[in-house]
Amino acid sequence: MTPADRDRFEKCLALAAQGATAGERAAARAAAERIAAGAGLTLAEAMRATRPARPDPAPRPPPRRAYAWAQPEEPVKPITVEELLRQKAETEAWRKRAAARAKRRSRQDQPDQEAYAAEQRARQAERDRAWAQARAASDDA
């Protein structure tokens, strides 16, 4: 039996022993029998061949002792709505401060950009006024 067949056989046996339904267990047992037959063995022979002799379990080491200064952790306290709102307000304030810092840095790095933007806003305002006057004149006619 190849290692892949042995692995598949063991998985089928596990499912045959612990399957959720009787049909599932019966199908797994039939699959295990087919795998054993493919290797030229009976189910009992294949089960003996796949189960290695188990050595005596090694004695377990004693459990680790906690350090004398180690304190048990406090139980987790659920967060309140007030705390969530406080955290949200704190985060928003931090974001506003960060945006203001970025804006100040941008102005320092590109001083002519602010003047250009102001000029463009003034030109757009003039175009908007001209458009509104033209619209009002066409509505009156």
Side-chain angles (χ1 to χ4, degrees):
M1 190 179 292
T2 66
D5 287 341
R6 180 173 289 127
D7 185 49
R8 201 165 142 231
F9 180 74
E10 289 173 356
K11 288 178 181 177
C12 288
L13 286 180
L15 187 59
Q18 301 171 353
T21 64
E24 186 178 41
R25 291 188 296 271
R29 184 173 177 85
E33 288 175 357
R34 284 193 306 273
I35 294 168
L41 302 170
T42 65
L43 183 61
E45 291 171 340
M47 288 174 67
R48 280 193 301 272
T50 59
R51 290 188 184 156
R54 290 188 177 183
D56 290 333
R60 291 187 176 186
R64 294 183 65 177
R65 292 186 356 198
Y67 294 108
W69 61 85
Q71 298 294 322
E73 291 185 20
E74 292 184 23
V76 177
K77 295 178 185 173
I79 193 164
T80 62
V81 173
E82 292 81 14
E83 177 64 14
L84 283 174
L85 292 174
R86 186 195 63 76
Q87 289 177 1
K88 185 175 180 180
E90 188 176 293
T91 302
E92 282 300 313
W94 177 82
R95 285 184 178 155
K96 285 180 181 179
R97 288 191 308 270
R101 271 194 312 271
K103 191 173 184 179
R104 278 194 307 272
R105 283 191 192 128
S106 174
R107 285 181 186 160
Q108 290 170 355
D109 293 344
Q110 301 171 347
D112 57 334
Q113 179 68 28
E114 187 66 30
Y116 175 77
E119 180 184 334
Q120 292 301 315
R121 283 193 300 271
R123 287 182 180 175
Q124 184 63 44
E126 183 60 37
R127 286 192 297 266
D128 290 346
R129 279 190 294 278
W131 178 83
Q133 289 172 354
R135 173 96 184 225
S138 69
D139 287 344
D140 290 341

